[in-house]
């Protein structure tokens, strides 16, 4: 089993920035891709960004050029740098492990507890 713990969420004004971190523990040898999803009230959980073990990335169209995903394999940690935040970015952000191949990120069933990101106008 792999355990995922997110941190870095909070309240920020529109146009501001926020950085999220997620650290994996447990059976970390099984980790391939890592990613970030988000879920707003009344909405489906959606992919924000994914990254392969070798650093290949994929972003949702709504966050491209504003968000940057990165990882530190030695620390089993994935990061999400969020800039130019908009009120519509408000959601609970969840860490995930999965696979990224041929430009497609596929999540497995392992999720972190989530961290709340609130963007005020």
């Amino acid at each position: 089993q792999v355990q995922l713990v997110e941190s870095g969420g909070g309240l920020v004004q529109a146009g501001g920035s926020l950085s999220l971190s997620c650290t994996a523990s447990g059976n970390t040898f099984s980790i391939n891709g890592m990613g970030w999803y988000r879920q707003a009230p009344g909405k489906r959980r959606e992919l924000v960004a994914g990254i392969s073990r070798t650093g290949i990335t994929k972003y949702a169209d709504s966050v491209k050029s504003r968000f940057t995903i990165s990882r530190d394999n030695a620390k089993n940690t994935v990061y999400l740098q969020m800039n130019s935040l908009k009120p519509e970015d408000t959601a609970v952000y969840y860490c995930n492990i999965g696979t990224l191949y041929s430009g497609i990120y596929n999540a497995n069933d392992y999720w972190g507890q989530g961290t709340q990101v609130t963007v005020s106008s």
Side-chain angles (χ1 to χ4, degrees):
Q1 295 286 344
V2 176
Q3 295 79 47
L4 302 169
V5 179
E6 303 98 336
S7 63
L11 175 64
V12 65
Q13 291 184 338
S17 299
L18 208 58
S19 296
L20 306 182
S21 298
C22 172
T23 298
S25 61
N27 186 20
T28 57
F29 291 106
S30 66
I31 296 176
N32 192 331
M34 302 184 76
W36 289 94
Y37 284 70
R38 66 186 181 187
Q39 187 167 26
K43 304 289 186 178
R44 289 185 174 183
R45 189 172 297 186
E46 64 177 357
L47 176 68
V48 177
I51 185 168
S52 74
R53 183 179 294 175
T54 57
I56 300 171
T57 58
K58 179 181 176 62
Y59 296 92
D61 289 340
S62 59
V63 307
K64 291 190 70 172
S65 80
R66 298 190 298 120
F67 292 8
T68 302
I69 188 171
S70 61
R71 66 188 293 172
D72 185 334
N73 291 338
K75 297 180 179 180
N76 294 308
T77 299
V78 62
Y79 307 92
L80 186 68
Q81 176 65 46
M82 304 183 292
N83 298 321
S84 301
L85 283 162
K86 305 174 181 179
E88 49 263 47
D89 294 318
T90 296
V92 177
Y93 284 69
Y94 297 91
C95 182
N96 171 261
I97 58 174
T99 58
L100 178 58
Y101 183 73
S102 297
I104 301 173
Y105 183 86
N106 292 302
N108 63 14
D109 293 329
Y110 297 100
W111 302 93
Q113 293 296 109
T115 185
Q116 177 71 47
V117 172
T118 302
V119 184
S120 64
S121 59

